[in-house]
């Protein structure tokens, strides 16, 4: 009951926290039998929370580090939220790892009831755009389940690639790429002949299934180049149309593949491209400008009319935006303060913003309900004003995004018609850089 109540609340929180949440091949999430979802793990507990909302109505269970279960009261709460402890040797030593036998029994018992389990197959949380070597825990428990309990013979392992854009920021985006399900019993005959070889084969197949579902940059030194080219491309297209996350993912995947191909035959071209990208973005930084301002902008009657209408909407709704800001700002700023003071790992920033914000806003709105009850002396009015408060906060977010979009359009218009030499040089430099990227990578 608690899980389902929190699901509805967290669905609202998550859709506010993320600007976009998209899923591909959602039809694979409709399997009625037992399922293990195999996910990469870039963003701590934001990953299972977001995916659980996407996959609802089935109640998803997932594994979390065993050291957070040390407090008995906290452990009971976590278990009621469908969270299962898993122990790593680096955290709990050999004694702790022995407890994983109990964890495996719990997972198998759930699979026998046709439940759905999330397993993070890399075994650790790292915010990077590549797939790390997979651990053996998933095939071990999957094969054991089928052999010991034939009623789970239809067990599916479904690979899911988790991809973030602006992963540490409020109003970022997340794309879940769901892959072709793997029927575990197809490996069973091989498993009876050789457990170790079949486990290796299964992990190899699962790796090959997962890799196309994430943006997989093999070399660390290429990450900045990929991000810079993505920024140029997405700015270029999002100024004219709104790209979906899948379209952005397809471009990023094509980009990474092109870089790897060219690097094998002409590494000097990649080095030259990196240098030119560095020069352009360094010049932008020195000029204190954003790349979006230098994207091509074609002014016509419709674009001008839209700009005027957006400007009018910004002015008209500004008082409502201010009310929404002042009524909702306190928990937000307090959440930011706590995260900046306490959270060190980049992988945990978004998760703690999401989690702490969800708790503080819930407490805050309950306090507001009592305050409104005292002020108005009417339960109906108190409830109405409490409901209106987050809605006004949503108007504030909408106003901010419309203002940013309109401001960027005005900057584009100003740069397009500029006579400033510095801005003209940057504009020309960007145009030459786009040509260099297209010629080098054949995008």
């Amino acid at each position: 009951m608690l899980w389902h109540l929190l699901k509805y609340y967290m669905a609202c929180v998550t859709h506010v926290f993320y600007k976009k949440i998209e899923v591909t091949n959602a039809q694979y999430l409709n399997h009625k039998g037992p399922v293990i979802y195999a996910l990469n793990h870039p963003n701590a507990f934001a990953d299972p929370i977001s995916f659980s909302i996407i996959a609802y109505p089935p109640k998803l269970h997932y594994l979390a580090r065993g050291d957070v279960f040390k407090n008995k009261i906290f452990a009971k709460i976590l278990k009621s939220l469908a969270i299962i402890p898993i122990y790593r040797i680096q955290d709990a030593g050999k004694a702790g790892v022995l407890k994983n036998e109990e964890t495996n029994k719990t997972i198998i018992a759930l699979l026998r009831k046709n439940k759905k389990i999330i397993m993070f197959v890399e075994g650790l949380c790292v915010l990077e755009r590549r797939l790390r070597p997979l651990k053996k825990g998933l095939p071990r428990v999957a094969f054991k389940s089928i052999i010991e309990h034939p009623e789970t013979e239809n067990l599916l392992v479904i690979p899911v690639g988790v991809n973030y854009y602006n992963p540490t920021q409020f109003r970022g985006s997340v794309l879940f790429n769901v892959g072709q399900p793997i029927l575990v019993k197809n490996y069973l005959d091989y498993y009876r002949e050789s457990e170790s070889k079949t486990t290796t084969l299964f992990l190899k197949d699962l790796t090959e299934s997962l890799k196309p579902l994430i943006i997989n940059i093999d070399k660390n030194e290429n990450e900045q180049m990929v991000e810079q080219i993505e920024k140029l491309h997405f700015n270029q297209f999002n100024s004219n149309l709104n790209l979906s996350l899948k379209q952005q993912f397809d471009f990023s995947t094509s980009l990474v593949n092109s870089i790897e191909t060219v690097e094998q035959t002409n590494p000097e071209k990649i080095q030259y491209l990196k240098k030119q990208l560095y020069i352009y973005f360094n010049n932008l930084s020195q000029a204190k400008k954003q790349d979006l301002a230098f994207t091509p902008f074609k002014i016509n009657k419709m674009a001008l009319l839209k700009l005027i209408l957006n400007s009018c909407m910004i002015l008209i709704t500004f008082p409502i935006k201010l009310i929404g800001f002042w009524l909702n700002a306190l928990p937000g700023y307090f959440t930011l303060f706590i995260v900046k003071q306490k959270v060190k790992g980049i992988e945990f920033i978004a998760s703690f913003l999401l989690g702490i914000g969800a708790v503080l806003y819930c407490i805050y709105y309950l306090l507001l309900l009592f305050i409104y009850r005292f002020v108005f002396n009417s339960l109906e009015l108190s409830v109405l004003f409490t409901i209106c408060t987050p809605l006004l906060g949503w108007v504030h977010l909408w106003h901010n995004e419309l203002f940013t979009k309109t401001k960027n359009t005005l900057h584009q218009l100003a740069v397009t018609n500029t006579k400033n030499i510095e801005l003209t040089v940057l504009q020309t430099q960007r145009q030459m850089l786009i040509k260099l990227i297209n010629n080098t990578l054949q995008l």
Side-chain angles (χ1 to χ4, degrees):
M1 183 64 178
L2 177 61
W3 188 92
H4 289 281
L5 287 174
L6 279 176
K7 181 268 165 191
Y8 289 112
Y9 175 63
M10 290 307 299
C12 296
V13 172
T14 304
H15 281 91
V16 171
F17 188 82
Y18 290 111
K19 189 174 183 179
K20 286 184 181 180
I21 303 176
E22 291 182 14
V23 60
T24 64
N25 300 317
Q27 68 275 13
Y28 294 142
L29 303 179
N30 298 327
H31 182 64
K32 302 299 182 184
V35 172
I36 298 176
Y37 294 110
L39 277 68
N40 60 311
H41 196 21
N43 216 359
F45 55 84
D47 298 337
I49 289 173
S50 303
F51 185 67
S52 295
I53 290 164
I54 287 294
Y56 193 81
K59 179 181 180 180
L60 302 192
H61 302 255
Y62 72 95
L63 283 65
R65 282 168 43 179
D67 54 342
V68 301
F69 286 78
K70 289 180 180 178
N71 184 290
K72 290 184 179 180
I73 296 175
F74 196 43
K76 285 184 178 181
I77 295 172
L78 291 175
K79 288 177 181 178
S80 70
L81 297 176
I83 303 174
I84 307 166
I86 185 76
Y87 299 89
R88 303 183 303 176
I89 193 166
Q90 60 264 43
D91 299 323
K94 292 183 179 179
V97 172
L98 292 175
K99 297 179 182 179
N100 286 337
E101 286 301 316
E102 190 64 33
T103 296
N104 289 340
K105 289 179 182 178
T106 301
I107 293 171
I108 291 171
L110 290 168
L111 293 175
R112 292 179 67 189
K113 297 177 182 178
N114 292 330
K115 301 297 183 181
K116 321 298 180 191
I117 315 290
I118 296 174
M119 294 187 73
F120 298 107
V121 287
E122 296 167 306
L124 73 169
C125 175
V126 181
L127 184 55
E128 58 183 17
R129 302 170 89 183
R130 68 181 52 84
L131 186 66
R132 286 176 165 258
L134 308 189
K135 303 298 182 183
K136 297 179 180 179
L138 189 152
R140 187 181 293 130
V141 72
F143 289 127
K144 186 176 182 180
S145 177
I146 293 179
I147 288 173
E148 294 183 358
H149 304 282
E151 65 268 31
T152 64
E153 67 173 356
N154 291 323
L155 171 62
L156 293 181
V157 172
I158 301 180
V160 181
V162 188
N163 301 273
Y164 287 92
Y165 291 91
N166 300 318
T168 63
Q169 297 177 17
F170 176 62
R171 302 299 283 167
S173 301
V174 56
L175 170 69
F176 293 102
N177 273 330
V178 182
Q180 184 78 33
I182 300 171
L183 187 60
V184 178
K185 71 177 181 182
N186 289 343
Y187 294 82
L188 208 53
D189 291 339
Y190 302 106
Y191 186 78
R192 289 191 175 103
E193 293 176 9
S194 173
E195 294 183 13
S196 61
K197 287 183 179 179
T198 307
T199 298
T200 302
L201 174 63
F202 183 89
L203 289 176
K204 179 177 178 295
D205 290 347
L206 182 56
T207 298
E208 293 304 310
S209 295
L210 265 172
K211 271 190 174 181
L213 303 177
I214 66 171
I215 300 164
N216 198 68
I217 307 171
D218 285 332
K219 294 184 178 180
N220 287 339
E221 59 267 26
N222 287 341
E223 283 197 35
Q224 185 180 41
M225 176 174 59
V226 171
E227 289 174 3
Q228 289 172 336
I229 296 174
E230 283 176 337
K231 183 174 287 188
L232 290 166
H233 178 82
F234 298 153
N235 284 344
Q236 188 94 356
F237 281 88
N238 278 332
S239 61
N240 299 313
L241 54 92
N242 192 20
L243 293 177
S244 69
L245 295 182
K246 182 60 168 63
Q247 288 172 316
Q248 294 183 38
F249 174 84
D250 289 341
F251 172 81
S252 298
T253 303
S254 176
L255 170 62
V256 171
N257 292 338
S258 296
I259 290 172
E260 290 177 355
T261 301
V262 175
E263 198 167 35
Q264 290 173 2
T265 56
N266 294 291
E268 66 282 354
K269 285 189 174 183
I270 297 299
Q271 291 305 315
Y272 180 72
L273 179 56
K274 281 183 182 179
K275 182 180 178 181
Q276 296 305 310
L277 284 163
Y278 172 80
I279 291 171
Y280 171 68
F281 280 96
N282 187 55
N283 289 344
L284 277 179
S285 178
Q286 290 181 354
K288 297 181 180 179
K289 298 292 182 182
Q290 298 293 324
D291 171 70
L292 187 59
F294 296 89
T295 57
F297 181 76
K298 295 180 180 179
I299 189 69
N300 53 43
K301 289 182 179 180
M302 286 302 297
L304 186 60
L305 178 62
K306 186 176 180 181
L307 184 61
I308 293 170
L309 289 174
N310 285 346
S311 300
C312 291
M313 286 295 294
I314 289 168
L315 291 172
I316 293 169
T317 58
F318 184 71
I320 303 173
K321 171 253 190 331
L322 277 182
I323 296 170
F325 170 75
W326 287 113
L327 284 175
N328 291 275
L330 183 61
Y333 280 114
F334 196 43
T335 299
L336 281 173
F337 175 78
I338 294 172
V339 171
K340 285 180 179 179
Q341 294 296 316
K342 300 297 182 181
V343 179
K344 304 302 179 185
I346 191 172
E347 295 86 1
F348 300 97
I349 292 175
S351 293
F352 277 90
L353 284 173
L354 178 64
I356 295 172
V359 173
L360 291 183
Y361 271 100
C362 182
I363 295 170
Y364 176 72
Y365 291 140
L366 287 173
L367 286 173
L368 278 185
L369 178 62
F370 285 107
I371 293 170
Y372 289 146
R373 182 74 175 85
F374 176 78
V375 171
F376 297 112
N377 197 27
S378 167
L379 181 61
E380 292 80 6
L381 279 176
S382 303
V383 171
L384 178 63
F385 273 76
T386 304
I387 292 172
C388 286
T389 300
L391 294 178
L392 288 168
W394 184 259
V395 173
H396 163 67
L397 288 179
W398 168 84
H399 189 281
N400 275 0
E401 291 170 4
L402 183 63
F403 176 79
T404 301
K405 185 177 180 180
T406 304
K407 182 182 69 174
N408 289 336
T409 302
L410 289 171
H411 283 172
Q412 288 176 276
L413 187 59
V415 169
T416 302
N417 297 280
T418 187
K419 293 182 180 180
N420 183 296
I421 295 175
E422 183 184 23
L423 298 183
T424 303
V425 169
L426 280 169
Q427 193 176 36
T428 303
Q429 190 178 7
R430 188 185 195 279
Q431 292 169 357
M432 294 176 64
L433 188 55
I434 293 293
K435 289 180 181 178
L436 177 62
I437 291 169
N438 290 334
N439 291 336
T440 302
L441 302 177
Q442 301 297 313
L443 295 174

